[in-house]
Amino acid sequence: MGDAKGLGLPQGTATKRQKAHGYVLVVGQYLRDLLHAQTPALVKDRRYHLRIFNKCFVGREVVDWLMFNEGLVDRSKVIEMMTLLQKNNVFHHVTDDHSFKDDYLFYRFRLDDNTFVMKRENEPFIKGWHLFTKLSKSGNSITFLQSRVENSISYEKCFYGSEMVDYLVKKGQVGSRQEAVMLGKDLLESEIIHHVRDEHHFKDEHLVYQFHPHLETIKLSDLLNFDIKPIRISSASSSPTISYMMQSNKLHSPNEDISIVSIPRHASLPGNFDGLSLRTLRSFNIDEPASSQSSNSSPKVSGDTKAPPSVLLRQATVDELMSQESPYIRKTMTITSDSVGYGFIVRGSAPCYIQTVDPTGPAAEKGLKVRQYVSSVNGHDCLKMSHQEVADLILKRQNEVTLEIMTHFRDASKTT
């Protein structure tokens, strides 16, 4: 069910979609805490092909663990739950090459590698869960969450608004009492906390508040009750991803009014679907329907989306790539598009690199990998070009593109 109300989520001023997405983030942090606490460790540094991947977990191991601890009997349901968390940016494949699979593949929580993009709409859910878990521990709960009286009525596990402000300022969570009040308002509107009689917004006063009860009853299987559409990120980025959109049409069904966007393989839904087959993305909510185009029209470059975190471990310089002692190996490949597209996106500037590759697309079939640098396009040297210039070169030929790519020798033989 797509309505958060059915899971006991309160009705604050945040939109229903934001609350549903936020609740998935909270469930994701709940899972992160559980996996980090397991012995033997499920989240740990792992080695593959002489390379160390820090703080990661194995897809198959987590499926086994959830089957045992959540009492689920259908592995496909567990995969469905984990896929929803990945789509909502809770975790990702360590090299962004795979969607979640019940296999020996490594995944990492985005909070563990600092690739989680903290936006205003998701900040209250992340910070709220952190506050709840910290203040609900037995030691802290004795001093912070206590019985309080308001209007001659006693309430359990409560705190005063002024106490929360004091705590946030003292712990350095905010820079001032005003910022603490703003965070408190966000927490209340996101339904992480609430006034005990639901009569006041958050205030730096002697008013009594509680964490919402749904935080104490959270469980992973709640994810099976959600049908959450991807959230579009529309703000600009300092390091944009180039997204090629073939056509867009607004379609209607008897029960819904959803903008359906047909996206070629060499497009990307920023931050949400790295590594997924773009054929499977049937519904993608957009703020306004794009103008319809003929399916025979030329692709256009869309630069209005915020890029996901870079997949690069370290940004190489042009001088480093062109040096005679460069550790990067050159390889030329010609990619012929299918009816959907080439199956990759580029990002960055001087030099550009491969950010995402559709594992079922023509580019992946030819061996294109994420983190490879683009040295030339159709014979034109592009190491010093911007992402827009590289995109223009790619779009000059509609059905075929020849790329010279550069791969670090340590990654040249890796297939993960």
Side-chain angles (χ1 to χ4, degrees):
M1 107 186 107
D3 192 342
K5 184 177 180 180
L7 285 179
L9 296 185
Q11 304 301 301
T13 59
T15 67
K16 181 191 298 183
R17 190 181 182 199
Q18 285 177 337
K19 287 188 291 183
H21 174 66
Y23 188 75
V24 171
L25 292 180
V26 169
V27 175
Q29 302 322 307
Y30 169 71
L31 174 63
R32 175 174 175 258
D33 291 346
L34 287 179
L35 297 189
H36 273 281
Q38 294 310 301
T39 303
L42 289 178
V43 177
K44 61 183 179 180
D45 296 350
R46 300 175 186 270
R47 181 187 297 272
Y48 189 82
H49 283 189
L50 303 179
R51 182 176 173 186
I52 299 294
F53 295 90
N54 298 322
K55 296 182 180 179
C56 59
F57 60 88
V58 175
R60 182 183 300 149
E61 290 182 0
V62 168
V63 173
D64 291 340
W65 186 86
L66 289 176
M67 290 281 291
F68 180 80
N69 287 275
E70 290 289 308
L72 300 172
V73 296
D74 188 344
R75 296 184 77 86
S76 66
K77 293 297 184 183
V78 179
I79 296 171
E80 180 182 335
M81 292 160 49
M82 296 299 292
T83 299
L84 179 60
L85 292 176
Q86 184 183 27
K87 287 180 179 179
N88 282 269
N89 266 337
V90 173
F91 68 87
H92 64 124
H93 181 253
V94 291
T95 58
D96 291 306
D97 288 338
H98 297 279
S99 57
F100 184 80
K101 297 177 183 177
D102 184 7
D103 205 344
Y104 191 77
L105 294 170
F106 296 168
Y107 301 90
R108 184 185 294 125
F109 289 102
R110 289 196 177 275
L111 283 181
D112 286 341
D113 62 7
N114 298 317
T115 61
F116 183 80
V117 180
M118 188 72 77
K119 298 172 64 64
R120 177 170 173 77
E121 59 264 28
N122 60 39
E123 182 179 10
F125 300 100
I126 300 299
K127 289 190 174 181
W129 175 254
H130 175 75
L131 283 170
F132 170 73
T133 55
K134 188 175 185 63
L135 296 177
S136 296
K137 292 180 180 179
S138 58
N140 289 328
S141 62
I142 294 175
T143 57
F144 193 88
L145 300 180
Q146 300 182 24
S147 297
R148 310 287 185 188
V149 176
E150 184 167 301
N151 283 12
S152 301
I153 301 175
S154 180
Y155 300 91
E156 300 296 322
K157 296 182 179 180
C158 302
F159 57 89
Y160 292 122
S162 55
E163 288 181 320
M164 175 66 82
V165 172
D166 290 341
Y167 177 86
L168 292 172
V169 173
K170 180 179 179 181
K171 296 296 183 180
Q173 300 290 320
V174 294
S176 66
R177 297 189 74 84
Q178 182 179 2
E179 289 183 19
V181 172
M182 292 177 61
L183 177 57
K185 289 180 180 293
D186 287 342
L187 293 175
L188 189 143
E189 292 177 2
S190 301
E191 299 169 350
I192 298 297
I193 63 175
H194 71 115
H195 179 252
V196 290
R197 292 183 291 116
D198 295 320
E199 293 181 355
H200 296 279
H201 211 310
F202 184 82
K203 299 178 181 180
D204 184 6
E205 298 178 8
H206 215 59
L207 296 172
V208 180
Y209 299 88
Q210 292 173 319
F211 285 103
H212 198 276
H214 73 262
L215 296 178
E216 295 186 352
T217 60
I218 194 170
K219 54 186 183 295
L220 271 297
S221 56
D222 287 343
L223 295 174
L224 298 175
N225 297 316
F226 278 89
D227 180 21
I228 300 176
K229 298 298 186 293
I231 291 181
R232 186 187 189 189
I233 305 174
S234 58
S235 57
S237 170
S238 60
S239 182
T241 298
I242 299 304
S243 179
Y244 310 102
M245 184 176 293
M246 284 282 195
Q247 56 182 326
S248 58
N249 303 289
K250 183 147 187 193
L251 306 179
H252 303 273
S253 70
N255 299 320
E256 59 184 356
D257 183 8
I258 299 176
S259 298
I260 307 296
V261 182
S262 176
I263 304 177
R265 289 187 186 275
H266 45 212
S268 168
L269 302 188
N272 287 326
F273 291 95
D274 290 349
L276 290 181
S277 169
L278 300 181
R279 288 188 186 277
T280 66
L281 306 181
R282 300 305 302 270
S283 57
F284 173 34
N285 285 345
I286 59 177
D287 299 327
E288 297 179 0
S291 58
S292 299
Q293 300 180 32
S294 167
S295 60
N296 296 323
S297 63
S298 300
K300 69 177 182 178
V301 177
S302 174
D304 64 344
T305 55
K306 182 174 180 178
S310 171
V311 297
L312 292 180
L313 303 178
R314 183 184 66 83
Q315 175 74 52
T317 65
V318 173
D319 289 341
E320 182 180 354
L321 294 178
M322 297 178 65
S323 169
Q324 293 184 352
E325 300 179 356
S326 172
Y328 289 84
I329 300 172
R330 295 177 183 265
K331 180 181 179 181
T332 301
M333 61 180 67
T334 298
I335 305 170
T336 302
S337 68
D338 60 13
S339 59
V340 187
Y342 291 114
F344 70 95
I345 61 172
V346 296
R347 182 178 176 182
S349 181
C352 295
Y353 58 90
I354 305 300
Q355 168 73 10
T356 304
V357 178
D358 178 358
T360 65
E365 184 178 354
K366 290 293 185 178
L368 193 69
K369 300 286 185 182
V370 296
R371 293 197 298 273
Q372 291 176 330
Y373 290 96
V374 183
S375 176
S376 70
V377 176
N378 299 326
H380 297 276
D381 182 17
C382 62
L383 282 178
K384 298 182 179 180
M385 289 185 178
S386 68
H387 62 274
Q388 186 64 61
E389 292 171 318
V390 172
D392 290 342
L393 289 177
I394 293 174
L395 295 178
K396 280 186 177 180
R397 296 185 184 178
Q398 294 186 353
N399 300 317
E400 187 177 87
V401 62
T402 299
L403 302 177
E404 183 182 61
I405 53 93
M406 302 183 70
T407 309
H408 197 285
F409 76 91
R410 291 176 301 187
D411 299 326
S413 62
K414 294 179 180 178
T415 59
T416 57

